Amino acid sequence: MIQLNYRDSRPIYEQIKDSFRKLIVQGVMAADEKLPSVREMATKLTINPNTIQRAYRELEQEGYVYMVAGKGSFVAGVPKQDEKRKIELLKTFDSTVEELRFLGVTTEEMIKRLEKNGS
């Protein structure tokens, strides 16, 4: 479900957070579905439980999960006001398009790639 890349420059908690966010946005994890416990995830990934706790806490702050005392963490769904993340991704997209154009990739090639990934 979640895989870590130790060569990635991002901190482990961010990789975990981004992985769960992606699963939620793609609909792989449904609203009200229980996330694995902190201890379970820490054991599975062989990392410190505090790292998992930080990822879960940030997901809660972003509106992707909610916590129930004594029960665990649950998927809240995709936040309706996730404009900040959308803006970040579009900036990254724009930067990537600019670099691809510099490397000689045509608009048609990019459109084909978008259409291929959109289906």
Side-chain angles (χ1 to χ4, degrees):
M1 183 185 234
I2 304 290
Q3 293 185 345
L4 301 177
N5 178 356
Y6 293 100
R7 293 182 181 201
D8 193 325
S9 62
R10 295 176 301 147
I12 299 298
Y13 80 92
E14 281 188 17
Q15 291 183 47
I16 294 166
K17 182 178 73 166
D18 290 346
S19 295
F20 273 116
R21 184 189 301 125
K22 185 175 181 180
L23 290 171
I24 294 166
V25 168
Q26 292 177 339
V28 175
M29 296 189 79
D32 300 320
E33 183 175 338
K34 189 176 188 315
L35 273 65
S37 72
V38 170
R39 189 175 308 214
E40 181 184 342
M41 282 299 297
T43 301
K44 192 178 289 186
L45 297 174
T46 62
I47 60 174
N48 190 307
N50 292 333
T51 304
I52 305 294
Q53 187 61 46
R54 183 171 180 184
Y56 282 13
R57 189 172 39 251
E58 289 198 9
L59 283 167
E60 182 180 30
Q61 290 170 349
E62 293 174 7
Y64 287 96
V65 303
Y66 62 93
M67 311 256 182
V68 177
K71 301 282 184 186
S73 300
F74 298 84
V75 175
V78 180
K80 302 222 185 303
Q81 300 300 324
D82 202 12
E83 284 300 310
K84 180 181 174 189
R85 179 70 177 147
K86 187 163 71 171
I87 290 167
E88 287 175 18
L89 289 171
L90 285 171
K91 284 181 184 178
T92 302
F93 177 79
D94 291 344
S95 174
T96 302
V97 167
E98 186 177 319
E99 188 172 347
L100 286 169
R101 285 185 193 273
F102 177 78
L103 294 172
V105 177
T106 66
T107 301
E108 290 77 22
E109 289 175 292
M110 287 187 257
I111 290 171
K112 283 181 186 175
R113 178 64 64 106
L114 283 170
E115 289 172 344
K116 175 184 167 190
N117 289 323
S119 54

